[in-house]
Amino acid sequence: MTLNTEQQAAVLHKEGPAMVLAGPGSGKTRVITERILTLTQSYHIPSSKILTVTFTRAAAREMQHRYEAEAGDAAVFGTFHSIFYQILRSSVQLDPQAVVTAAQQSDWLRELLFQYAPDWADDAELLPSVLREIGRMKSFRLDTAAYEAKSCEPQLFRLLYEGYAERLKKERKIDFEDMQLRTLALFRSRPKVLAAWQKRWSWVMVDEFQDINPLQYELIGLLAAPENNLFIVGDDDQAIYGFRGADPALMQRFVKDHPGAAVFRLRGAYRCSPQILAAASRVIARNTSRFRKDLTALAPSGPEPEIAAYESTAAQARAVTARILRLTESGMPPENIAILCRTAYREQPFLHALLQENIPFRVRDRAPDIYEHRSVRDVMTYLRLGAGSRRRADLLPVMNRPKRFWSRESIPGETFDLAEAAAFYRGHPRMEKMIAAFARDLEVLSRLRPFAAVEYVRRQMGYDEFLKNEAAGRMGGAGEALDRLDLIQEESAEFATLREWEESIRARQARLRERKEDPRGVTVSTIHGAKGLEYDAVFLPDLSEGILPHSRALSEDREEEERRMFYVALTRARRLAFLSWTSGSRGEKGQPSRFLREMSRNAMPR
């Protein structure tokens, strides 16, 4: 492909700071590799003096392969992690074993949770959420004492943070944020070391600059000084990693910190059809904190994005699967099709539907099964108790969820008898009344079909309210736990008995365990996981208010990042885009996403 005028101008840039604003499908990777070729072959700069940094090993490998295929020699490509590791290992002899692994981090935090908050130790989302917040706090160099945590209660977060820091110290290990902080301390305390690295890499290029955090921004600035041959490539409209500490405003700061920096705008977009690009552009134009871009679609024309509404998640999954079958039967390879979801657990209805139709697929995000989540396990346990289980092992996990102040000592054996439990509390009217109410609840549950039983546990037994109170102060509150319960409740409507439902769950879980990933199958991914990828046909489900944009993000004034998420998702599609929303089982989920209304040329149904 011949470079267009804008790409050519960026490629020919030799010295001084420069920013390339690269929209989706505008050829940014080609610009980076062609510029390195120009620096080495036309300007005769040794490839060893050019450093190219990106955020993933896959991106670094792709650029390295492209460059080496054309140049025939090697250049320096790496992630932030690998570059800082190389600097520390060379300058201060960092032991490779000193870098903590992700598995070790999770194990340590899980041990701390068992110590300080055992009820949360098996929460599949809390561990990564706490780790992200610890990393973000370090990257922003925030004071622990004054910091108000959002992943969990502030007091618990401080205990986890301090325990984690102590374990790092005891094991003589550092994490990625420590690695960056140590590199910064090294550069500040030993100017000669910094000067040596500046001399080694006189030209610095950074890909996906919109994903950079303040600490990385400072480090890259030091590394590129004093010549400031710093060439950054990014798109602030595709900044969707705020939860990791990324700050797209740093692109605006770059221009202020480097007055006179060259700015190149890649306006030609080769990926999306004009209809898809126009629809996405109508949405992203609503954001105010951004560089304005006027993209021109250079791909062939195609149909407008389709929008459909469904009564339930199950109906949506069946419809998406049916459409995928029609696409593959008409000749579209499954690997050119993707289903992109807001969160990983929302992928599961589609995995089940694809399995049922024997459509090959691959999953980019390995999320825990929705039925392994604590809130879902609790509700299913209540249903088993209602169906007649009298196992102590079933009662113990839920006897105080909601809080009943019910002592385990009242249930001494492997099975329980509520009459014996009431006798244990004889003379304590409040506890006797509680156990009688619990017995009535189980009797009611025994008569209900699964859907009504789930509803009864959530509303009449107060489980939803319990989740809200329990999650008060935590990042996102109880929103995602309630979302999961919505999903399983919708699924439960298809079954007449709990036994049928549980048999169906076990069968699907077994099939998911037994299946092998098919690289030529339909991609099922989160939006975050699909960033940088593209497909002929993309399905974007669950585009309802409260999901995308997520209610949590709206409460934290992050609507613009949610709009960027929608923009990234839609611009993964080359030819066809199928968007859908569901009414759901909770009132706030009954409206289509505002982004659908912003995108559509016609009035959207309300």
Side-chain angles (χ1 to χ4, degrees):
M1 181 180 74
T2 304
L3 294 174
N4 64 36
T5 303
E6 296 146 354
Q7 292 171 332
Q8 186 71 29
V11 162
L12 292 174
H13 179 82
K14 182 182 180 183
E15 295 175 327
M19 176 172 70
V20 178
L21 293 170
S26 60
K28 70 178 181 63
T29 302
R30 182 173 174 83
V31 165
I32 291 171
T33 54
E34 289 291 334
R35 180 176 186 252
I36 300 172
L37 285 167
T38 300
L39 290 175
T40 55
Q41 297 178 358
S42 299
Y43 301 143
H44 309 294
I45 295 165
S47 60
S48 60
K49 294 184 73 65
I50 305 167
L51 170 65
T52 304
V53 189
T54 189
F55 282 85
T56 67
R57 281 177 290 185
R61 284 196 298 268
E62 180 189 356
M63 285 188 285
Q64 185 169 11
H65 291 158
R66 286 198 193 188
Y67 172 77
E68 290 177 356
E70 295 193 47
D73 70 343
V76 184
F77 297 87
T79 62
F80 280 97
H81 185 285
S82 66
I83 297 303
F84 297 143
Y85 171 76
Q86 180 181 345
I87 290 170
L88 290 178
R89 188 172 185 186
S90 175
S91 301
V92 298
Q93 289 75 54
L94 177 68
D95 184 345
Q97 301 302 315
V99 181
V100 67
T101 66
Q104 288 171 325
Q105 290 177 302
S106 294
D107 288 345
W108 295 352
L109 275 181
R110 191 174 290 107
E111 290 173 15
L112 291 166
L113 277 170
F114 271 117
Q115 179 181 350
Y116 296 120
D119 284 347
W120 290 104
D122 62 349
D123 189 303
E125 290 183 347
L126 182 58
L127 287 176
S129 181
V130 170
L131 276 171
R132 283 195 298 267
E133 194 160 12
I134 288 174
R136 189 175 186 278
M137 209 180 81
K138 287 184 176 184
S139 294
F140 280 80
R141 287 161 280 181
L142 302 174
D143 181 14
T144 316
Y147 182 70
E148 285 294 320
K150 295 180 180 179
S151 57
C152 58
E153 294 81 357
Q155 183 178 1
L156 175 59
F157 179 81
R158 278 192 284 275
L159 290 170
L160 296 175
Y161 179 89
E162 291 165 4
Y164 171 74
E166 184 61 33
R167 187 66 180 268
L168 281 172
K169 183 178 179 182
K170 178 183 176 182
E171 303 287 344
R172 297 184 178 180
K173 290 186 179 291
I174 62 173
D175 58 21
F176 177 46
E177 288 72 32
D178 293 330
M179 197 183 300
Q180 295 177 103
L181 289 166
R182 286 197 182 188
T183 305
L184 181 60
L186 172 70
F187 285 171
R188 285 176 169 172
S189 63
R190 297 172 62 181
K192 289 184 179 179
V193 171
L194 172 60
W197 287 104
Q198 290 170 333
K199 185 177 181 181
R200 178 170 179 174
W201 294 317
S202 303
W203 275 261
V204 179
M205 305 174 68
V206 183
D207 186 25
E208 304 286 7
F209 197 79
Q210 74 278 353
D211 296 334
I212 205 167
N213 67 39
L215 179 54
Q216 292 162 344
Y217 182 91
E218 186 172 353
L219 281 162
I220 287 295
L222 286 171
L223 204 52
E227 286 89 351
N228 289 322
N229 294 323
L230 179 55
F231 187 89
I232 70 167
V233 182
D235 181 5
D236 52 337
D237 289 337
Q238 297 187 67
I240 59 173
Y241 291 110
F243 65 93
R244 293 182 186 170
D247 184 1
L250 292 171
M251 293 189 72
Q252 302 275 356
R253 179 177 163 186
F254 177 86
V255 179
K256 295 177 182 177
D257 288 348
H258 299 278
V263 177
F264 303 98
R265 299 174 186 267
L266 305 187
R267 295 183 173 87
Y270 295 88
R271 176 191 302 155
C272 304
S273 70
Q275 290 77 10
I276 290 173
L277 184 63
S281 298
R282 284 194 291 273
V283 177
I284 201 63
R286 301 273 186 137
N287 277 2
T288 56
S289 301
R290 62 186 291 264
F291 288 98
R292 181 178 173 181
K293 304 168 191 72
D294 298 307
L295 299 177
T296 300
L298 301 175
S301 183
E304 293 286 342
E306 292 186 19
I307 302 175
Y310 299 99
E311 292 183 356
S312 69
T313 302
Q316 177 182 237
R318 288 192 295 267
V320 166
T321 305
R323 190 58 177 267
I324 289 174
L325 276 174
R326 292 201 296 274
L327 289 175
T328 56
E329 288 168 357
S330 67
M332 182 178 289
E335 61 266 31
N336 288 346
I337 303 170
I339 303 171
L340 307 183
C341 301
R342 175 64 176 81
T343 53
Y345 68 85
R346 288 200 162 270
E347 298 170 1
Q348 296 201 28
F350 303 99
L351 302 183
H352 300 157
L354 291 167
L355 274 173
Q356 192 167 357
E357 296 295 336
N358 292 313
I359 298 174
F361 64 90
R362 54 180 173 170
V363 184
R364 289 188 59 84
D365 312 275
R366 287 294 175 192
D369 189 286
I370 192 171
Y371 286 94
E372 294 301 316
H373 190 268
R374 177 67 184 271
S375 63
V376 175
R377 292 205 316 266
D378 282 352
V379 169
M380 298 301 289
T381 298
Y382 272 119
L383 267 57
R384 282 194 295 273
L385 292 171
S389 170
R390 291 300 178 263
R391 296 173 62 241
R392 184 177 192 264
D394 279 339
L395 178 61
L396 292 184
V398 298
M399 63 193 302
N400 285 302
R401 295 173 64 84
K403 192 71 174 174
R404 298 182 176 94
F405 302 97
W406 194 346
S407 171
R408 294 181 174 213
E409 295 178 7
S410 67
I411 312 293
E414 292 186 4
T415 61
F416 69 90
D417 185 306
L418 292 179
E420 292 178 1
F424 179 88
Y425 283 110
R426 187 167 293 126
H428 296 79
R430 189 182 67 80
M431 295 304 296
E432 289 180 301
K433 183 178 179 181
M434 180 277 295
I435 292 173
F438 188 79
R440 287 194 299 272
D441 286 336
L442 295 190
E443 199 277 327
V444 172
L445 287 175
S446 71
R447 302 194 305 266
L448 300 176
R449 291 169 66 98
F451 183 90
V454 174
E455 180 74 8
Y456 187 86
V457 172
R458 298 181 66 182
R459 321 295 184 198
Q460 301 305 313
M461 295 180 70
Y463 190 77
D464 275 15
E465 193 61 31
F466 162 74
L467 287 179
K468 293 174 185 176
N469 293 334
E470 183 185 50
R474 289 186 62 200
M475 184 179 292
E480 293 196 352
L482 296 173
D483 285 347
R484 288 184 178 83
L485 296 184
D486 287 348
L487 282 173
I488 67 147
Q489 186 169 3
E490 287 184 20
E491 180 185 312
S492 72
E494 300 181 24
F495 302 95
T497 67
L498 176 62
R499 175 176 292 183
E500 291 177 11
W501 188 14
E502 289 191 317
E503 287 176 354
S504 173
I505 293 168
R506 286 192 290 269
R508 289 197 309 260
Q509 289 172 334
R511 289 189 67 185
L512 282 172
R513 285 192 301 269
E514 292 164 3
R515 65 174 290 276
K516 295 180 180 179
E517 286 288 288
D518 190 334
R520 294 170 300 177
V522 172
T523 294
V524 183
S525 173
T526 62
I527 297 170
H528 285 104
K531 188 169 177 290
L533 303 177
E534 57 186 72
Y535 305 89
D536 283 345
V538 169
F539 291 83
L540 303 180
D542 295 324
L543 296 177
S544 302
E545 283 290 302
I547 299 177
L548 187 64
H550 198 284
S551 54
R552 175 183 67 201
L554 296 178
S555 69
E556 296 173 1
D557 197 26
R558 291 191 287 109
E559 182 179 333
E560 292 213 348
E561 181 164 342
E562 293 292 292
R563 189 172 281 108
R564 293 194 293 268
M565 187 102 64
F566 180 89
Y567 178 75
V568 166
L570 186 54
T571 54
R572 298 313 92 196
R574 289 189 285 254
R575 293 171 44 200
L576 304 172
F578 305 96
L579 295 75
S580 58
W581 59 283
T582 67
S583 58
S585 61
R586 284 199 284 146
E588 65 267 27
K589 298 285 180 62
Q591 294 295 322
S593 168
R594 65 193 66 187
F595 305 147
L596 290 177
R597 292 193 290 271
E598 294 170 4
M599 180 199 81
S600 179
R601 295 180 186 275
N602 305 311
M604 281 292 300
R606 293 181 176 272

